[in-house]
Amino acid sequence: MSKYLQDPDYLFSLLTILVKKSGGKIVITEEETKNASKGDLIGMYYEPDTGSIILKEVDTQDMLQATSIVRDKSKEDETYDN
């Protein structure tokens, strides 16, 4: 999924989907912009059962746990808890 996050066309498509899903408009205040930092983590997951993409705020502790879960999964497992 990380290759998609580096593709400006894909990111713009995600923004378009989010705006349409929110009724055609999303207002981001100056305060909200200031509260976002480089340390904030957003995970992007694919749900194979539904074909859905899940965007989720990720706590750094959760990220460390998820990394160890992924490393411990056998190669036969195709799905992960998100």
Side-chain angles (χ1 to χ4, degrees):
M1 284 273 175
S2 65
K3 70 178 180 177
Y4 296 110
L5 296 178
Q6 296 175 16
D7 179 354
D9 290 333
Y10 187 78
L11 291 173
F12 190 75
S13 293
L14 284 179
L15 287 173
T16 302
I17 292 165
L18 292 171
V19 170
K20 285 183 171 188
K21 189 173 182 171
S22 296
K25 181 178 180 179
I26 296 175
V27 176
I28 301 171
T29 66
E30 186 176 346
E31 180 78 20
E32 290 168 325
T33 303
K34 288 178 182 177
N35 287 333
S37 72
K38 290 183 179 183
D40 292 336
L41 301 172
I42 300 294
M44 185 168 92
Y45 308 93
Y46 177 73
E47 178 54 57
D49 293 338
T50 63
S52 299
I53 295 171
I54 300 166
L55 299 173
K56 178 181 172 187
E57 185 175 12
V58 178
D59 183 276
T60 52
Q61 293 300 321
D62 292 341
M63 185 182 79
L64 295 173
Q65 179 184 7
T67 300
S68 67
I69 290 171
V70 169
R71 287 185 184 147
D72 290 344
K73 290 269 185 179
S74 69
K75 291 185 180 182
E76 292 92 40
D77 277 342
E78 294 182 11
T79 58
Y80 299 94
D81 294 332
N82 292 328

